[in-house]
């Protein structure tokens, strides 16, 4: 920019590809997110160009040449903004009830559980609590990695933990910092779940080297620092390697999907006496608060796709049974 050399069409193409991918999740972003990123970058580049153009020589030929180059670069950006962006990101469904039960059985940290793929007790317990928070608390991976001891209230009548707000300043002693994409919230804990978390904090967490030097809940067994953002995925990959039936169906995000499916089913049951529209209106604020989403967000429908598909399947079978039954009666 300082030399008034425009970005080439190839460089703009590369940047366009970069804008189409969420760097933390390695997934394609939505069309609105892509457009916002490209437009924001374009505006900043235009500002830089005009800033340096204003400092260059007043030679009319140089200025005319600079304007032509600027127009060429702007046309390149507009070309990519006008080209329809295709988001290949698909809604992921949760674990089936059968796989849910098997998953819980596998990650049980009991020392006699031969199904558990992790060898030491401290790693079994760490992974157990971490994965349960994803599946039963609805946490994102990044939110869970950022949990600290003082985020938990495990005694008294009400037991809960606080999720970090997206606007909070994060100081994470790793090369890559976990991301927070949702609003802050409090997650209630059943007494039994609170007792499990308390056991991990009081008895197990102390087995990690350097546990006193960190206030983060989940630590690495290698150096005692907070877990890397890649550890949860590699942890589940170990499980998948031993249990291939989970291949393509298990990830930190799939466990969050599972939570929202379970929540959707529970809410349908709670408001089963209401009409379809009333039920949707009553469910929405609860689902939005549980997911840390903005009011009137469309995300609950994406995350609860598994339970919706299950209802469709159930209705399809009932419809087929009814029609075929009526034919047999003729």
């Amino acid at each position: 920019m300082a030399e008034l050399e425009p970005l080439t069409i190839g460089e703009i193409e590369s940047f366009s590809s970069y804008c189409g991918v969420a760097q933390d999740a390695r997934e394609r972003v939505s069309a609105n997110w892509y457009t916002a990123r490209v437009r924001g970058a374009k505006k900043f580049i235009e500002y830089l160009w005009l800033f340096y153009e204003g400092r260059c020589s007043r030679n009319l030929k140089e200025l005319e040449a600079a304007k032509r180059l600027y127009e060429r670069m702007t046309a390149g950006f507009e070309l990519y903004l006008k080209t329809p962006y295709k988001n290949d990101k698909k809604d992921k469904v949760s674990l089936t009830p059968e796989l849910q039960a098997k998953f819980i059985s596998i990650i049980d940290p009991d020392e006699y559980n031969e199904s558990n793929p992790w060898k030491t007790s401290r790693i079994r317990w760490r992974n157990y609590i971490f994965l349960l928070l994803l599946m039963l608390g609805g946490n994102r991976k990044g939110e869970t990695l950022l949990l600290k001891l003082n985020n938990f209230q495990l005694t008294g009548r009400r037991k809960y933990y606080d999720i970090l707000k997206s606007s909070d300043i994060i100081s994470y002693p790793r090369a890559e910092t976990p991301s927070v994409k949702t609003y802050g919230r409090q997650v209630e804990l059943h007494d039994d779940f609170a007792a499990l978390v308390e056991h991990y904090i009081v008895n197990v967490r102390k087995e990690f080297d350097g546990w006193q030097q960190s206030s983060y809940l989940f630590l690495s067994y290698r150096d005692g620092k907070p877990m890397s953002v890649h550890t949860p995925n590699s942890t589940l990959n170990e499980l998948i390697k031993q249990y291939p039936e989970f291949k393509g169906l298990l990830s930190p995000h799939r466990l969050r999907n599972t939570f929202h499916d379970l929540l959707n089913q529970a809410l349908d049951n709670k408001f089963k006496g209401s009409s379809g529209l009333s039920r949707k209106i009553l469910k929405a604020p609860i689902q939005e608060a549980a997911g840390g989403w903005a009011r009137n967000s469309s995300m609950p429908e994406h995350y609860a796709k598994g339970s919706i598909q299950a209802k469709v399947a159930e209705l399809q079978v009932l419809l087929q049974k009814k029609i075929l039954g009526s034919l047999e009666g003729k």
Side-chain angles (χ1 to χ4, degrees), residues 99-107 131 135 239 246 250 255:
L99 287 180
Q100 289 175 29
K102 184 164 187 176
F103 177 74
I104 293 296
S105 174
I106 290 170
I107 66 173
L131 297 172
M135 183 173 171
L239 187 152
F246 286 97
L250 184 59
L255 292 176

Side-chain angles (χ1 to χ4, degrees), residues 139-153:
N139 301 11
R140 286 183 176 275
K141 178 179 72 172
E143 294 169 341
T144 312
L145 289 168
L146 291 168
L147 286 173
K148 293 185 175 182
L149 299 175
N150 60 4
N151 294 139
F152 284 82
Q153 174 62 45

Side-chain angles (χ1 to χ4, degrees), residues 13-30 33-34 37-38 85 89 140-142 175-181 229-230 233:
E13 180 181 12
S14 296
F15 183 69
S16 171
S17 298
Y18 173 84
C19 289
V21 178
Q23 299 306 305
D24 55 347
R26 300 294 189 270
E27 293 179 342
R28 299 281 284 176
V29 301
S30 68
W33 189 1
Y34 166 81
R37 294 176 84 175
V38 176
Y85 169 78
K89 184 177 180 180
R140 286 183 176 275
K141 178 179 72 172
E176 191 173 347
T177 301
S179 63
V180 178
K181 300 179 181 177
V229 295
H230 305 291
N233 294 79

Side-chain angles (χ1 to χ4, degrees), residues 83-101:
T83 303
Y85 169 78
K86 294 183 179 179
N87 174 20
D88 60 3
K89 184 177 180 180
K90 298 178 181 178
D91 294 335
K92 293 181 172 60
V93 298
S94 68
L95 295 176
T96 63
E98 294 76 19
L99 287 180
Q100 289 175 29

Side-chain angles (χ1 to χ4, degrees), residues 189-205:
L189 288 172
H190 184 274
D191 288 348
D192 292 344
F193 196 179
L196 290 172
V197 176
E198 185 175 15
H199 170 77
Y200 166 73
I201 292 173
V202 174
N203 301 305
V204 181
R205 188 176 174 276

